[in-house]
Amino acid sequence: MKPHITYQIRNLLILFCVAFSYQLSAQKSIINSGWQFTLDTTKTNWQTINIPHTWNKNDAFDDDPGYLRGLGFYQKQVYVPIEKKELIHYLRFKGVNQEANVYVNGHFVGNHKGGYTAFNFNITEFLKFGDYNLIEVKVDNSYNANIPPLDIDFTIYGGIYRDVEWIAIPKQHLTLNDFASEGFYVDYPNVSKEKASVEVTVFLDNFDVKSATNQLELSISDADGKIIRTETKKIKINANTTEKLKIHFPEIRNPNLWSPEHPYLYQLQIVLKDKNGTILEEKSSHVAFRWVSVDPNKGLILNGEPYKLIGVNRHQDYEGYGSAVPMQLQENDIYLIKNMGSNVIRFAHYPQAQELYKLCDELGLLVWSEIPVVNKVTNTPEFFETSLTMQEEHLKQYYNFPSVVMFGYMNEIFLRLVFDRTSTDQEKEDAKVYSYELAKQLEDFTRKMAPNRLTVMALHFNEVYNDTKIADLSMLIGWNLYFGWYNDTIPDLGIFLDDQHKRFPNRSIMISEYGPGADVNISSTTPKKYDYTQEYQLILHKSYYDQVMARDFVVGMTAWNFADFGSEFRGETIPHVNQKGLVQYNREPKDVYYWYKSVLNTKEPLLHIALNPEHPLSLIDEDQRTVSIFSNEKKAEVFLNGELIDAVTFIDGLATAAIPFINGENELKVISDSQEETKTVQVFKTDNLKTAHFKRFGINLGSHFSFYDKENDVTFVPDRPYSENLYGHFDGTPYNITKDKNQGIPNNIKNTEKEGIFQTMLEGCTSYKVDVPDGQYQVTLFFVEPQIKSNIEMIFNLTVEKALSNEDSKRQRVFDVFINDNLIESRFNMAKTFPDKYGVTLTSIVNIRNNEGLSINLKPIEGKTVLSGVLIEKKD
């Protein structure tokens, strides 16, 4: 019996120790599942959801203008065992957009303003132990003039969109009350190739009614886990107080330096014990040795050497999720950015998930992090206070990530002022003064709180930043430059940079944003400014890269944007989405992503043919089509349908080949020294439509680019003047097309996803002909009234569309529509029939005989006719 008794006693001791540890050690749990949510202010209609969650993931992308900005309510029951009564309990919210009021068991716990930083609330006094506790959160993403951001080109998704944590912690612990920091800060008083020093500042709380004696143990380990430095401190903490400790480690000789190419990380471990040696709490942090500065002539200096920054900006939202994105998908963004060859990322325009900063430490990405004081400032004490609080939260929560080398606080702060048509001159001058004052306060505060980081702000292309001298405040200036898109021409970038450097020789500058919109469904052999083609996107990005690399004084550049992102008011070829991404909203890469990878990533062999096999090609009167190929190798051979047709040499990652595609299926193969890639594509090729065989044929009127229509699996070819045996217009002009704007109308077209067809159109066209063979066809004509509800001002990032006059917006277009002399629509009047810009189609079955072809005639009755597209489908 004795062994059995011993066994029982031993297990009782284990259970006792577990219970004892259960009461004393820190515990953290994520409480994301099983929340109740409602938008009903009466709180009677609840649905069960999981965190992360936003209520705008659908309505920010529908045809109705605007999206819900208001109140949302969350609640959850949490059981707290009696055994946890001696612990201190916190709720930690990692991100709630944008104002939160938290209640526990009906008691108000606290308020937090700002949607992009974490916050903690001590809820201990409100809890019922051994019982269920009701957690309630009222969230408000309404416009609030005292909470930045105010007026921005991204969607403010409402909700609890980052994790919620329950922290149960012993009465002595690293503070959770210092703006939701980890309670300690890592500094590097001296770093060089020869030696490095580490200093850790720790804040310890004692919530007990009596003083406590504790032991703090700190250690630094190398990348192999070997402990190389330790420090131990005994400390007496008075009752209900916070104690501050500074721990200096002996210097580390010949440290491994951190850089994007060699992201060597040490590890700091902090262990808090009670007087008996029982562990109360453990925390850890990356430690990395690197030093950074900027030089007006040499650019960025990393670890003593000039270092060019090439990377991207990132918004946090994702197709189908809004801002409530699973962490695995977010982390995959960082891998994609690093895999492209980037060495820097700007988290714009707000602090993003801390897990991503940790990954930047590990993968080797320098980070620019900032708060969302964007485009405009409100001159109130509340706005100033909220902005400064945001920056304090930002600095303290992200201080210990060594990848963060730049802390920012403003973006394009005078953008709305420049386009302000309602304020008086004096009001504008006042705005310059108080905006400068806020910038000065944020700059001084950041330098004081984070002396080992660079301060930075981003400006848009306007002289106001130089006139007000706000551009002289931060250590580094980022210019958001869109030459070749919103402004002037692509080569004007270099002219501007040289001019700024000459006028302000002591100022360090970089390009913090640049890039055109691009839609993977749009393509052109003659790409033009503002046409949303991938071809133009490549031309602009490649030129910017060349111009920046040619100038040592330019710190670098971060492309706008890594991925397409939600911006509800935008009317691009994909509405409600800013399409300047190097990858699509679902993170599928665009062609330009592969070009960057071919130039920046030399470690992994790359070969990419810029051709989408899912998009059929339509070659009308073309013997061959030029195709771009990207690679970080030197040479490759190009084969079409098994035959060698070209040998290409890659210059700056790019080669082109003229491919003589045949009608039907084509296999294009490229073989380099170490790899090969094959693309198979369907091609419709003809120089005579009367003898051609096709199932569908589409024409994109008023446009120089083709558009792939996924629904019908057809590529709409560009418009052209009529020529015999082919197709084209006899009269009319492209609507709203200039040398600088080739989109047509920058608006969401309701009731369709074919904006690439509807947004461009011929105006004043009365006769159009397509020389199709005899037979029966279903013919669909595409129309939109471009002037309905157009009396708006559209400010994208850096430009403004001229609003139509009231007289223009009321004009009607009335015309009859004929196909082969058959009237299919009489007195067609979209302005009268539809309340907004609707995609309207007219479909008719047409029998073509006697080699007459297809004729479309639009006879004007009032105003000018418009026609956006034609789809011809063979029926027999």
Side-chain angles (χ1 to χ4, degrees):
M1 294 294 293
K2 287 184 179 180
H4 179 66
I5 294 173
T6 304
Y7 177 80
Q8 287 182 318
I9 293 173
R10 187 185 68 180
N11 277 277
L12 285 171
L13 288 172
I14 291 173
L15 288 171
F16 175 77
C17 291
V18 169
F20 186 73
S21 174
Y22 179 66
Q23 292 179 29
L24 290 179
S25 62
Q27 302 150 36
K28 181 189 294 185
S29 57
I30 298 173
I31 55 168
N32 283 350
S33 63
W35 286 77
Q36 301 295 304
F37 168 74
T38 186
L39 292 169
D40 182 1
T41 55
T42 64
K43 301 182 185 179
T44 56
N45 184 23
W46 296 91
Q47 59 176 306
T48 302
I49 57 94
N50 293 328
I51 306 297
H53 174 264
T54 175
W55 60 74
N56 296 124
K57 74 173 185 176
N58 295 321
D59 75 329
F61 300 94
D62 60 24
D63 273 346
D64 295 328
Y67 59 101
L68 179 61
R69 297 195 65 178
L71 293 175
F73 303 89
Y74 296 82
Q75 66 178 26
K76 179 180 175 64
Q77 294 278 357
V78 179
Y79 183 83
V80 184
I82 193 70
E83 293 85 355
K84 293 190 176 185
K85 190 172 184 178
E86 294 304 312
L87 298 175
I88 306 299
H89 297 262
Y90 281 86
L91 279 176
R92 178 179 180 85
F93 295 86
K94 291 189 174 182
V96 181
N97 213 349
Q98 64 179 351
E99 183 172 8
N101 287 302
V102 180
Y103 305 82
V104 174
N105 295 324
H107 299 282
F108 176 69
V109 173
N111 168 272
H112 182 264
K113 295 179 177 65
Y116 305 100
T117 45
F119 55 96
N120 302 333
F121 289 133
N122 185 340
I123 60 172
T124 310
E125 65 177 295
F126 307 110
L127 294 178
K128 298 179 292 184
F129 295 95
D131 202 349
Y132 283 94
N133 293 262
L134 178 63
I135 312 300
E136 296 175 284
V137 187
K138 182 173 74 173
V139 182
D140 191 352
N141 74 327
S142 302
Y143 176 85
N144 187 325
N146 290 318
I147 303 177
L150 299 179
D151 190 339
I152 37 77
D153 183 22
F154 57 93
T155 299
I156 298 180
Y157 300 93
I160 305 177
Y161 70 95
R162 293 183 191 157
D163 290 346
V164 182
E165 293 179 344
W166 188 294
I167 302 172
I169 200 163
K171 292 179 179 178
Q172 293 86 44
H173 57 262
L174 276 68
T175 187
L176 293 171
N177 291 324
D178 190 21
F179 293 86
S181 74
E182 288 296 306
F184 68 94
Y185 303 96
V186 183
D187 282 298
Y188 307 88
N190 295 290
V191 179
S192 68
K193 295 178 181 178
E194 294 75 28
K195 58 186 179 181
S197 58
V198 180
E199 177 183 274
V200 182
T201 303
V202 181
F203 292 86
L204 294 176
D205 281 347
N206 180 14
F207 276 79
D208 209 340
V209 294
K210 57 185 179 181
S211 62
T213 301
N214 295 89
Q215 182 169 298
L216 193 65
E217 298 177 358
L218 296 89
S219 63
I220 297 176
S221 304
D222 63 17
D224 296 322
K226 179 184 177 182
I227 296 177
I228 59 173
R229 293 289 185 274
T230 59
E231 288 291 322
T232 302
K233 299 286 184 182
K234 284 190 176 180
I235 181 172
K236 183 178 180 180
I237 313 175
N238 292 328
N240 295 311
T241 60
T242 300
E243 294 289 341
K244 175 182 176 182
L245 288 82
K246 279 189 178 291
I247 296 93
H248 301 268
F249 285 92
E251 286 183 342
I252 297 171
R253 297 288 176 175
N254 302 314
N256 288 288
L257 298 182
W258 184 96
S259 70
E261 291 72 28
H262 303 283
Y264 191 97
L265 291 174
Y266 295 82
Q267 194 76 7
L268 171 69
Q269 191 76 16
I270 301 175
V271 180
L272 179 66
K273 298 180 178 180
D274 68 10
K275 62 181 180 181
N276 299 315
T278 301
I279 295 176
L280 302 178
E281 186 177 15
E282 295 180 85
K283 289 193 174 183
S284 63
S285 175
H286 289 151
V287 168
F289 299 117
R290 53 105 186 106
W291 71 98
V292 175
S293 61
V294 283
D295 183 276
N297 297 308
K298 298 179 181 179
L300 185 87
I301 310 298
L302 174 63
N303 299 335
E305 302 292 335
Y307 191 87
K308 189 73 78 175
L309 298 181
I310 306 292
V312 298
N313 289 262
R314 178 188 185 266
H315 270 298
Q316 66 185 3
D317 58 325
Y318 199 109
E319 185 178 51
Y321 295 95
S323 60
V325 185
M327 187 50 60
Q328 183 178 354
L329 291 179
Q330 296 202 55
E331 290 179 340
N332 190 55
D333 277 3
I334 308 304
Y335 284 106
L336 283 169
I337 291 166
K338 180 66 178 180
N339 189 254
M340 190 185 83
S342 298
N343 56 29
V344 64
I345 181 171
R346 178 187 178 207
F347 285 117
H349 293 295
Y350 40 79
Q352 297 180 23
Q354 289 183 309
E355 292 87 344
L356 305 185
Y357 292 68
K358 181 175 183 289
L359 195 53
C360 289
D361 291 349
E362 296 165 355
L363 296 180
L365 280 166
L366 296 164
V367 171
W368 167 341
S369 190
E370 66 189 18
I371 58 171
V373 183
V374 180
N375 295 0
K376 188 178 179 181
V377 170
T378 303
N379 189 26
T380 62
E382 292 82 3
F383 187 93
F384 276 56
E385 180 183 358
T386 301
S387 299
L388 286 161
T389 299
M390 278 185 177
Q391 185 69 335
E392 185 158 7
E393 291 175 331
H394 176 216
L395 299 179
K396 290 185 172 180
Q397 292 172 28
Y398 296 84
Y399 193 90
N400 292 334
F401 295 105
S403 56
V404 179
V405 296
M406 292 173 271
F407 276 127
Y409 51 81
M410 275 187 177
N411 179 77
E412 299 181 352
I413 204 61
F414 291 134
L415 180 65
R416 293 303 180 251
L417 181 145
V418 169
F419 295 107
D420 186 352
R421 298 177 179 178
T422 59
S423 299
T424 65
D425 289 343
Q426 185 58 53
E427 287 171 333
K428 291 180 181 180
E429 291 304 311
D430 291 345
K432 294 176 185 178
V433 173
Y434 62 70
S435 298
Y436 179 95
E437 177 57 31
L438 177 58
K440 183 69 166 61
Q441 291 184 29
L442 287 166
E443 173 71 22
D444 293 345
F445 181 78
T446 305
R447 290 201 186 203
K448 177 182 177 182
M449 295 293 294
N452 59 343
R453 294 330 207 276
L454 300 174
T455 60
V456 63
M457 74 165 77
L459 322 174
H460 84 280
F461 174 55
N462 195 281
E463 193 64 22
V464 65
Y465 298 98
N466 295 323
D467 293 341
T468 60
K469 300 188 184 303
I470 200 171
D472 293 324
L473 289 176
S474 59
M475 299 176 186
L476 174 63
I477 283 299
W479 282 104
N480 298 346
L481 301 175
Y482 291 87
F483 292 107
W485 189 248
Y486 296 124
N487 308 108
D488 304 320
T489 67
I490 295 173
D492 286 307
L493 170 69
I495 297 171
F496 174 82
L497 294 172
D498 292 340
D499 176 68
Q500 290 296 305
H501 184 53
K502 181 179 179 180
R503 292 169 58 197
F504 306 98
N506 297 320
R507 189 185 292 170
S508 294
I509 62 174
M510 69 176 288
I511 304 174
S512 41
E513 293 181 21
Y514 67 97
D519 186 333
V520 297
N521 295 311
I522 291 178
S523 180
S524 178
T525 58
T526 57
K528 299 178 182 180
K529 181 179 178 181
Y530 222 98
D531 65 2
Y532 287 88
T533 61
Q534 289 198 88
E535 290 83 1
Y536 187 80
Q537 186 182 38
L538 175 63
I539 290 169
L540 188 145
H541 277 272
K542 187 176 185 305
S543 180
Y544 269 57
Y545 176 81
D546 292 341
Q547 293 180 71
V548 167
M549 295 302 291
R551 291 167 170 81
D552 291 340
F553 66 87
V554 180
V555 166
M557 61 185 197
T558 48
W560 190 263
N561 195 285
F562 162 63
D564 293 350
F565 61 91
S567 182
E568 197 277 342
F569 77 95
R570 276 185 174 261
E572 301 192 355
T573 57
I574 301 177
H576 319 299
V577 175
N578 187 315
Q579 293 174 262
K580 295 187 181 68
L582 308 184
V583 303
Q584 300 173 62
Y585 203 12
N586 63 3
R587 274 43 178 186
E588 287 293 322
K590 301 179 185 179
D591 287 338
V592 71
Y593 174 90
Y594 293 105
W595 176 76
Y596 271 110
K597 187 175 180 180
S598 71
V599 173
L600 301 177
N601 186 347
T602 58
K603 294 182 179 179
E604 301 177 13
L606 169 73
L607 187 62
H608 176 74
I609 303 169
L611 199 63
N612 190 332
E614 296 181 358
H615 296 186
L617 284 177
S618 294
L619 275 61
I620 306 299
D621 206 19
E622 295 179 70
D623 291 332
Q624 54 192 16
R625 174 67 63 89
T626 299
V627 174
S628 295
I629 307 167
F630 308 126
S631 180
N632 51 18
E633 300 196 53
K634 294 182 178 180
K635 296 181 179 181
E637 293 182 324
V638 182
F639 297 82
L640 179 65
N641 300 322
E643 294 186 13
L644 176 66
I645 60 168
D646 203 356
V648 297
T649 300
F650 295 98
I651 300 175
D652 293 332
L654 172 65
T656 59
I659 310 299
F661 289 108
I662 63 172
N663 191 59
E665 185 174 278
N666 290 255
E667 181 189 82
L668 184 63
K669 179 183 292 186
V670 180
I671 302 177
S672 65
D673 288 340
S674 64
Q675 58 197 314
E676 66 178 58
E677 184 178 48
T678 301
K679 295 282 182 73
T680 300
V681 61
Q682 291 292 328
V683 176
F684 172 58
K685 181 177 181 180
T686 185
D687 58 4
N688 188 338
L689 282 175
K690 287 185 176 179
T691 60
H693 299 280
F694 60 85
K695 184 178 179 181
R696 297 184 184 91
F697 182 62
I699 307 168
N700 197 10
L701 272 69
S703 173
H704 69 283
F705 57 76
S706 62
F707 173 79
Y708 173 65
D709 175 12
K710 183 177 181 180
E711 180 184 4
N712 292 297
D713 192 30
V714 62
T715 298
F716 281 66
V717 298
D719 196 10
R720 58 185 288 164
Y722 174 76
S723 58
E724 191 174 359
N725 297 326
L726 292 173
Y727 68 93
H729 56 266
F730 290 92
D731 54 3
T733 57
Y735 179 84
N736 201 33
I737 298 295
T738 68
K739 68 180 182 67
D740 291 328
K741 294 289 174 68
N742 288 278
Q743 185 184 10
I745 56 173
N747 301 104
N748 171 30
I749 311 301
K750 293 190 174 184
N751 198 40
T752 184
E753 293 183 354
K754 297 181 175 64
E755 271 78 8
I757 299 173
F758 284 105
Q759 287 179 341
T760 56
M761 66 198 74
L762 277 179
E763 185 180 45
C765 175
T766 62
S767 183
Y768 205 96
K769 189 174 183 183
V770 187
D771 286 336
V772 295
D774 289 353
Q776 187 180 67
Y777 299 89
Q778 178 175 293
V779 178
T780 303
L781 306 181
F782 296 75
F783 301 91
V784 65
E785 170 51 64
Q787 291 180 249
I788 297 179
K789 289 193 175 180
S790 291
N791 191 25
I792 57 173
E793 184 176 89
M794 290 288 264
I795 298 178
F796 283 179
N797 283 16
L798 307 171
T799 190
V800 60
E801 296 291 336
K802 183 179 179 181
L804 294 170
S805 68
N806 289 331
E807 181 181 350
D808 287 337
S809 65
K810 293 177 181 177
R811 289 177 181 170
Q812 297 189 100
R813 305 172 192 273
V814 184
F815 53 93
D816 292 335
V817 180
F818 294 84
I819 295 181
N820 285 18
D821 296 327
N822 294 315
L823 179 65
I824 66 168
E825 190 75 15
S826 179
R827 301 190 64 85
F828 189 45
N829 184 345
M830 289 177 285
K832 183 177 182 180
T833 309
F834 300 97
D836 208 335
K837 292 183 176 67
Y838 275 81
V840 182
T841 57
L842 299 179
T843 301
S844 181
I845 301 298
V846 180
N847 291 297
I848 297 177
R849 303 181 182 91
N850 303 319
N851 206 30
E852 63 181 344
L854 176 70
S855 295
I856 303 164
N857 296 103
L858 309 176
K859 295 189 176 180
I861 298 171
E862 180 180 343
K864 294 182 179 181
T865 65
V866 287
L867 179 61
S868 288
V870 179
L871 177 61
I872 305 167
E873 301 176 85
K874 198 80 162 39
K875 300 301 289 183
D876 56 6

PDB file of all heavy atoms in Angstrom, residues 65-78:
ATOM      1  N   PRO A  65     -23.547  54.916 -52.468  1.00  0.00           N
ATOM      2  CA  PRO A  65     -22.463  55.808 -52.034  1.00  0.00           C
ATOM      3  C   PRO A  65     -22.344  55.846 -50.519  1.00  0.00           C
ATOM      4  O   PRO A  65     -23.336  55.786 -49.794  1.00  0.00           O
ATOM      5  CB  PRO A  65     -22.879  57.173 -52.595  1.00  0.00           C
ATOM      6  CG  PRO A  65     -24.357  57.076 -52.791  1.00  0.00           C
ATOM      7  CD  PRO A  65     -24.651  55.643 -53.127  1.00  0.00           C
ATOM      8  N   GLY A  66     -21.103  55.931 -50.042  1.00  0.00           N
ATOM      9  CA  GLY A  66     -20.849  55.977 -48.612  1.00  0.00           C
ATOM     10  C   GLY A  66     -20.879  54.605 -47.986  1.00  0.00           C
ATOM     11  O   GLY A  66     -21.184  53.601 -48.622  1.00  0.00           O
ATOM     12  N   TYR A  67     -20.537  54.560 -46.707  1.00  0.00           N
ATOM     13  CA  TYR A  67     -20.574  53.326 -45.931  1.00  0.00           C
ATOM     14  C   TYR A  67     -20.903  53.683 -44.498  1.00  0.00           C
ATOM     15  O   TYR A  67     -20.781  54.850 -44.097  1.00  0.00           O
ATOM     16  CB  TYR A  67     -19.250  52.562 -46.035  1.00  0.00           C
ATOM     17  CG  TYR A  67     -18.024  53.333 -45.553  1.00  0.00           C
ATOM     18  CD1 TYR A  67     -17.474  53.109 -44.296  1.00  0.00           C
ATOM     19  CD2 TYR A  67     -17.415  54.295 -46.362  1.00  0.00           C
ATOM     20  CE1 TYR A  67     -16.357  53.803 -43.864  1.00  0.00           C
ATOM     21  CE2 TYR A  67     -16.299  54.988 -45.943  1.00  0.00           C
ATOM     22  CZ  TYR A  67     -15.775  54.747 -44.686  1.00  0.00           C
ATOM     23  OH  TYR A  67     -14.664  55.445 -44.254  1.00  0.00           O
ATOM     24  N   LEU A  68     -21.330  52.700 -43.742  1.00  0.00           N
ATOM     25  CA  LEU A  68     -21.827  52.986 -42.404  1.00  0.00           C
ATOM     26  C   LEU A  68     -20.726  53.509 -41.493  1.00  0.00           C
ATOM     27  O   LEU A  68     -19.752  52.813 -41.213  1.00  0.00           O
ATOM     28  CB  LEU A  68     -22.442  51.728 -41.785  1.00  0.00           C
ATOM     29  CG  LEU A  68     -22.982  51.909 -40.357  1.00  0.00           C
ATOM     30  CD1 LEU A  68     -24.095  52.960 -40.338  1.00  0.00           C
ATOM     31  CD2 LEU A  68     -23.485  50.598 -39.796  1.00  0.00           C
ATOM     32  N   ARG A  69     -20.907  54.728 -41.066  1.00  0.00           N
ATOM     33  CA  ARG A  69     -20.032  55.313 -40.050  1.00  0.00           C
ATOM     34  C   ARG A  69     -20.914  55.717 -38.884  1.00  0.00           C
ATOM     35  O   ARG A  69     -21.660  56.694 -38.961  1.00  0.00           O
ATOM     36  CB  ARG A  69     -19.254  56.498 -40.611  1.00  0.00           C
ATOM     37  CG  ARG A  69     -18.322  56.120 -41.743  1.00  0.00           C
ATOM     38  CD  ARG A  69     -17.315  57.200 -42.057  1.00  0.00           C
ATOM     39  NE  ARG A  69     -16.398  57.420 -40.942  1.00  0.00           N
ATOM     40  CZ  ARG A  69     -15.380  58.288 -40.965  1.00  0.00           C
ATOM     41  NH1 ARG A  69     -15.186  59.014 -42.059  1.00  0.00           N
ATOM     42  NH2 ARG A  69     -14.588  58.436 -39.927  1.00  0.00           N
ATOM     43  N   GLY A  70     -20.866  54.915 -37.837  1.00  0.00           N
ATOM     44  CA  GLY A  70     -21.732  55.139 -36.692  1.00  0.00           C
ATOM     45  C   GLY A  70     -21.386  54.189 -35.571  1.00  0.00           C
ATOM     46  O   GLY A  70     -20.231  53.819 -35.377  1.00  0.00           O
ATOM     47  N   LEU A  71     -22.419  53.751 -34.845  1.00  0.00           N
ATOM     48  CA  LEU A  71     -22.223  52.939 -33.649  1.00  0.00           C
ATOM     49  C   LEU A  71     -22.384  51.450 -33.935  1.00  0.00           C
ATOM     50  O   LEU A  71     -23.262  51.047 -34.705  1.00  0.00           O
ATOM     51  CB  LEU A  71     -23.225  53.345 -32.572  1.00  0.00           C
ATOM     52  CG  LEU A  71     -23.077  54.748 -31.973  1.00  0.00           C
ATOM     53  CD1 LEU A  71     -24.223  55.026 -31.002  1.00  0.00           C
ATOM     54  CD2 LEU A  71     -21.733  54.892 -31.267  1.00  0.00           C
ATOM     55  N   GLY A  72     -21.551  50.668 -33.312  1.00  0.00           N
ATOM     56  CA  GLY A  72     -21.690  49.224 -33.284  1.00  0.00           C
ATOM     57  C   GLY A  72     -21.498  48.758 -31.849  1.00  0.00           C
ATOM     58  O   GLY A  72     -20.733  49.362 -31.078  1.00  0.00           O
ATOM     59  N   PHE A  73     -22.200  47.685 -31.468  1.00  0.00           N
ATOM     60  CA  PHE A  73     -22.173  47.235 -30.078  1.00  0.00           C
ATOM     61  C   PHE A  73     -21.724  45.777 -30.005  1.00  0.00           C
ATOM     62  O   PHE A  73     -22.198  44.927 -30.770  1.00  0.00           O
ATOM     63  CB  PHE A  73     -23.554  47.384 -29.443  1.00  0.00           C
ATOM     64  CG  PHE A  73     -24.100  48.781 -29.502  1.00  0.00           C
ATOM     65  CD1 PHE A  73     -24.854  49.208 -30.588  1.00  0.00           C
ATOM     66  CD2 PHE A  73     -23.835  49.685 -28.484  1.00  0.00           C
ATOM     67  CE1 PHE A  73     -25.352  50.498 -30.653  1.00  0.00           C
ATOM     68  CE2 PHE A  73     -24.333  50.981 -28.530  1.00  0.00           C
ATOM     69  CZ  PHE A  73     -25.093  51.393 -29.623  1.00  0.00           C
ATOM     70  N   TYR A  74     -20.808  45.511 -29.088  1.00  0.00           N
ATOM     71  CA  TYR A  74     -20.282  44.168 -28.877  1.00  0.00           C
ATOM     72  C   TYR A  74     -20.483  43.781 -27.411  1.00  0.00           C
ATOM     73  O   TYR A  74     -20.392  44.634 -26.510  1.00  0.00           O
ATOM     74  CB  TYR A  74     -18.783  44.109 -29.185  1.00  0.00           C
ATOM     75  CG  TYR A  74     -18.417  44.383 -30.624  1.00  0.00           C
ATOM     76  CD1 TYR A  74     -18.300  45.697 -31.094  1.00  0.00           C
ATOM     77  CD2 TYR A  74     -18.157  43.340 -31.503  1.00  0.00           C
ATOM     78  CE1 TYR A  74     -17.938  45.951 -32.407  1.00  0.00           C
ATOM     79  CE2 TYR A  74     -17.786  43.586 -32.823  1.00  0.00           C
ATOM     80  CZ  TYR A  74     -17.680  44.899 -33.268  1.00  0.00           C
ATOM     81  OH  TYR A  74     -17.324  45.143 -34.559  1.00  0.00           O
ATOM     82  N   GLN A  75     -20.735  42.503 -27.171  1.00  0.00           N
ATOM     83  CA  GLN A  75     -20.782  42.022 -25.789  1.00  0.00           C
ATOM     84  C   GLN A  75     -20.359  40.555 -25.729  1.00  0.00           C
ATOM     85  O   GLN A  75     -20.471  39.813 -26.706  1.00  0.00           O
ATOM     86  CB  GLN A  75     -22.176  42.204 -25.188  1.00  0.00           C
ATOM     87  CG  GLN A  75     -23.264  41.359 -25.811  1.00  0.00           C
ATOM     88  CD  GLN A  75     -24.616  41.564 -25.125  1.00  0.00           C
ATOM     89  OE1 GLN A  75     -24.883  42.609 -24.542  1.00  0.00           O
ATOM     90  NE2 GLN A  75     -25.475  40.557 -25.184  1.00  0.00           N
ATOM     91  N   LYS A  76     -19.866  40.177 -24.559  1.00  0.00           N
ATOM     92  CA  LYS A  76     -19.413  38.802 -24.367  1.00  0.00           C
ATOM     93  C   LYS A  76     -19.459  38.479 -22.884  1.00  0.00           C
ATOM     94  O   LYS A  76     -19.098  39.311 -22.036  1.00  0.00           O
ATOM     95  CB  LYS A  76     -17.977  38.634 -24.893  1.00  0.00           C
ATOM     96  CG  LYS A  76     -17.391  37.231 -24.717  1.00  0.00           C
ATOM     97  CD  LYS A  76     -15.982  37.152 -25.267  1.00  0.00           C
ATOM     98  CE  LYS A  76     -15.339  35.797 -25.004  1.00  0.00           C
ATOM     99  NZ  LYS A  76     -16.021  34.689 -25.699  1.00  0.00           N
ATOM    100  N   GLN A  77     -19.894  37.260 -22.572  1.00  0.00           N
ATOM    101  CA  GLN A  77     -19.883  36.767 -21.192  1.00  0.00           C
ATOM    102  C   GLN A  77     -18.592  35.980 -20.969  1.00  0.00           C
ATOM    103  O   GLN A  77     -18.244  35.091 -21.752  1.00  0.00           O
ATOM    104  CB  GLN A  77     -21.085  35.854 -20.941  1.00  0.00           C
ATOM    105  CG  GLN A  77     -22.440  36.542 -20.995  1.00  0.00           C
ATOM    106  CD  GLN A  77     -22.793  37.254 -19.704  1.00  0.00           C
ATOM    107  OE1 GLN A  77     -22.048  37.197 -18.717  1.00  0.00           O
ATOM    108  NE2 GLN A  77     -23.939  37.920 -19.684  1.00  0.00           N
ATOM    109  N   VAL A  78     -17.894  36.316 -19.899  1.00  0.00           N
ATOM    110  CA  VAL A  78     -16.639  35.643 -19.571  1.00  0.00           C
ATOM    111  C   VAL A  78     -16.705  35.162 -18.124  1.00  0.00           C
ATOM    112  O   VAL A  78     -16.953  35.954 -17.209  1.00  0.00           O
ATOM    113  CB  VAL A  78     -15.430  36.582 -19.756  1.00  0.00           C
ATOM    114  CG1 VAL A  78     -14.138  35.862 -19.376  1.00  0.00           C
ATOM    115  CG2 VAL A  78     -15.355  37.098 -21.190  1.00  0.00           C
TER     116      VAL A  78
END
